[in-house]
Amino acid sequence: MVVCGDDGLAHRLTAELRGVHGERVTLVVPPDERTARTPVVGRARAASALFDRVVSAAVGRGAGTANAPASSGNGSSGGNAQRGVEERLLEAADPTEAVLAEAGVEGAAALALVYDDDETNIRAALTARRLNPRLRLVLRLYNRRLGQHIEELLDQAAALAAASGEGAEGGVEASTTVLSDADTAAPALAAAAVAGTTKVVQTDSLLLRAVERVPSRDGRIADRGLCTLALLSANGTGPAGAGGSGDGDEEGPRLLPDDEEVRRAGGRAAVVLEDVSAAPGGPASDTAGRGMGVVPPLASLFSRRLRWSLAGLVGCVVALAVALWVVADVHPLSAFYLTLLDLFAIDNPALGQPVGRQVLQLLSGLVGLLLLPVLLAAVLEALGTFRTTSALRKPPRGLGGHVVLLGLGKIGTRVLTRLRELHVSVVCVESDPEARGLATARRLRVPVVLGDVTQEGVLEAAKIHRAHALLAVTSADTTNLEAVLYARSVRPDLRVVLRLYDDDFAAAVYRTLRAAHPQASTRSRSVSHLAAPAFAGAMLGRRVLGALSVERRVLLFASVDVAGHPELEGRTVGQAFRAGAWRVLAVERQASVPASYALRPGDRVVVAATRRGLADLG
C-alpha cells in the first residue's frame, strides 16, 4: 500500500493500515512537516508505533483465533499481520512521476492520495493510473461532482488498459474510489449531537447506534434492541473494559452471537443496536416544515411588540363597538360599522346625536390616529421580512431543543446537511460572512448568527441556554474549546461535541471535560480519526462505513452488493447470517425489512462483520 498526503490523515491512515489490517505501507509526505502540523505528525507516528507493539503482542499470544485479521485486498492471508508492521517513509514535496515510481506504485496493490488540495490529488492520480493500470486508487476530493467525473475517467482508463493487455499480470482488479474526509466524518459528528455517540450506522435516513446494555440483578437484559452485536467479557466492564483478553477464549468478547448464544449468555453485558432516527429526548425536529417553506410563517413577519400593539387596537375597536351598541341602542352590526367609519375618519359626523355617541366618535377617531403608525410599521416590517427571505434567517423567538453548530467550513457544511436530512432543528454560528456554508444555510433556510463565537453575546443569540447540543467544528481547536467551555458555564448539563485536529489533544480534552462535568455528555473527535477507517477500507477494496471497537476486537460496518455473493443472494435476511462472521442490518433504500425478506441481486445491504467475515464476503 502507498499513502501520499500532507496532513494528519495520511499518518492516521498509515497507522490504520498497518495496525488494524497488517499491511505493508509506504508513506510519502512533504519534507517540511510544518505543513502537516508537527505535533500531529509526531503523535501519529507514535500511535503507529503503538499499533506495531499491539499487533506484535497479539501475534505472539496466538494469531490463529477466530477473529484474527482477515485477508487483505491484494490476496494475502491473515499471516500478513506478522510481516505487515513494516513502514517505508519517503519525503517529497510533490507526488511527481519520479516520486510515485520510487514509492513503488508500479507494483503496489493500492494508492491513497490524501493531500488537502484537490488538484494535487487529481494530477497524481492520472500519473499513477498511467504507471500502473491495475492499481486500486483512493482519492480525497472535496468537490463531489468533480470527483464523480474523475472516478469515471480513471475507471475508463483502467478498462481500456485492461482491454489492450497492459498490466494483465497484476493480481488486483483496478478500481477508483473518491472520498471526502468531510463527508466521511460528518455523519459521525452529527450522530454524536443527535444520539450522544459516534458508534452509529447510517444509510439514507436510517440512524442506528450501538449501545452497551448491562444485565439486571436476575442476569437478564431488558432491552436487546434490534439485534445483539456482541457479548462482552464476563469480567469486562464495557466496550473499553480491560477484563477481556481478546484472545478468543470463552471469557472474551463474542462478536455477532446467535440467538441461542445470547440466551445462554446469562449475566454478561451486551452491545446492542438501537434505532435512534426519532429518539425521545433528542434535538427538536421540524418535520412539520418550520423554517423550510418558501413563504415564512405569519408569526415571523411581525415582531412581538407589533403583534401586541395590533391586538390592543383590535380590543379597543371591539370595546368601542360594544359601547356604541349600548349607548345608541343600535344593531350590533351597525355599531361595528359606525365604529369603523369613525375609526377611519370617514365623513359621518354625529350631529344632533346624543352626547354619548359624540364622545364615542371622538374616541374612535383618536384610536384611528393611533392605528395609522401601527399599520405603517406592520407593512414596512412585512416588506422587510419578505425582502430577506433569500438572505440569512435569524433564530426564531422561543426556539429550544435545537443543535447549535459552530463553523460553516468544509466539515460544518457537511454536518449541517446531514442534520437537516435527519430533520433536526439547527442554528449556525459563523464569523466569516463569505464562508462556503452560508449558501447551504440560506438554501436550507437555517438560522445563522454572524459573529465571533468567542465574543460575548454570540452564543446567547443562538439560544445556547435552550439548546439540546453544541457542535463545534471550526478549523481552530482553541476556538472550539473556548466555545465549549463558555457554553458549559452557561449550561453545565449541555451535550457538547467538538472537533479537534489532534487525536491526543481530543482525548485529553474529553477526559478533562468528563471529570469536570460528569453529568453531561461530552464527545471530542478528530476528523482524521473518523475518516481513516473508510479510506483504509476503500484501499482494501471494501466499502467500509465505520468500525466499532469491542474491547480488543473490531466490528466493521460495510455496504455490500448482494449480486455475486451466494451467501446473500436468494436468501432471506434471517438466513443470510453467520454467527461470529456477519449479520445483515439493513437493506438500502428499504424503510423496513422483515427477517423473511428475500435478498435480490439488485439490493445493497449494510452488514456488521468481523474482519475475517468481511473478507469471506469478498
Side-chain angles (χ1 to χ4, degrees), residues 1-4 24-29 88-92 94-111 113 115 131 135:
M1 303 288 175
V2 180
V3 178
C4 303
R24 291 178 295 175
V25 184
T26 296
L27 177 61
V28 181
V29 293
R88 178 186 173 206
L89 181 64
L90 180 63
E91 294 185 345
D94 294 303
T96 61
E97 182 174 350
V99 171
L100 292 176
E102 185 179 354
V105 166
E106 294 179 354
L111 166 67
L113 296 164
Y115 291 95
L131 291 175
L135 184 67

Side-chain angles (χ1 to χ4, degrees), residues 397-417:
R397 300 172 183 87
L399 179 65
H402 57 289
V403 173
V404 177
L405 175 63
L406 308 184
L408 286 175
K410 277 198 318 182
I411 305 297
T413 303
R414 296 290 193 255
V415 172
L416 172 61
T417 302

Side-chain angles (χ1 to χ4, degrees), residues 69-89:
S71 59
S72 66
N74 59 4
S76 57
S77 65
N80 61 10
Q82 299 180 12
R83 52 84 180 162
V85 292
E86 306 169 14
E87 175 186 349
R88 178 186 173 206
L89 181 64

